[in-house]
Amino acid sequence: MICSNILLVDNNKIDVVSTRDAFSKLGIGTTLHFAESESEAWSLLQGDNKISPTPKIILIDINENGLSGIDLLHKIRETPDLKSILVFVITNTDNDENKVAALNLNIAGYIRKPIESESNIDFFSILNDYWNIIEFTSEKK
């Protein structure tokens, strides 16, 4: 995989472990960073705990309780050095208002989260195939 860092923003610990396991089983060669909240994610993108290099892909569960993914998307799209990040919304709930808001913020995809572990492997395998055909620009020096 060309992308060296991916950020997952999700406050469901089971989903985080499942994602980590899927990346490991698939041999996805990237560093997966985790944030449980919008503020923690923002700190990893712009704060004292900033990830380097900046992730080129972010996975956000915008429908989790206590997680304001739409606000985080707004911040990302309004920040010049972050606005080109590919953001995928992953969710296990139906919320048309959030879906429309996310699509209006130029997300790369709005995807239903698989519930079973085996489906999770298939889900991330498909995303990995997609990521591998995208050409990322090199980091600024």
Side-chain angles (χ1 to χ4, degrees):
M1 168 169 231
I2 298 168
C3 181
S4 62
N5 285 315
I6 293 177
L7 175 59
L8 172 64
V9 185
D10 194 331
N11 62 2
N12 184 319
K13 296 200 185 302
I14 293 170
D15 288 342
V16 169
V17 169
S18 180
T19 300
R20 181 182 296 131
D21 290 347
F23 272 56
S24 177
K25 286 179 183 176
L26 292 167
I28 297 175
T30 188
T31 302
L32 186 59
H33 299 270
F34 301 96
E36 291 185 18
S37 66
E38 173 192 339
S39 60
E40 185 179 350
W42 191 248
S43 178
L44 292 172
L45 294 170
Q46 293 287 286
D48 294 337
N49 299 322
K50 185 176 178 179
I51 299 168
S52 182
T54 300
K56 298 208 182 280
I57 298 170
I58 299 176
L59 306 169
I60 301 176
D61 187 344
I62 64 171
N63 292 325
E64 290 290 333
N65 292 332
L67 184 61
S68 181
I70 296 297
D71 291 341
L72 178 60
L73 274 167
H74 275 288
K75 286 180 176 180
I76 290 168
R77 294 302 181 228
E78 293 169 353
T79 305
D81 61 330
L82 300 178
K83 68 181 178 181
S84 65
I85 292 174
L86 289 177
V87 177
F88 292 86
V89 170
I90 54 175
T91 183
N92 57 10
T93 61
D94 288 319
N95 183 319
D96 288 338
E97 185 178 325
N98 279 348
K99 185 175 186 178
V100 169
L103 290 169
N104 285 333
L105 289 165
N106 197 29
I107 60 169
Y110 191 95
I111 307 161
R112 294 275 301 174
K113 264 196 238 185
I115 296 177
E116 300 87 34
S117 178
E118 196 58 41
S119 295
N120 206 25
I121 298 288
D122 293 340
F123 171 77
F124 284 110
S125 178
I126 291 166
L127 279 180
N128 187 48
D129 290 344
Y130 173 73
W131 298 331
N132 280 318
I133 63 171
I134 296 171
E135 185 173 326
F136 291 100
T137 57
S138 59
E139 295 299 315
K140 293 179 184 176
K141 298 189 180 202

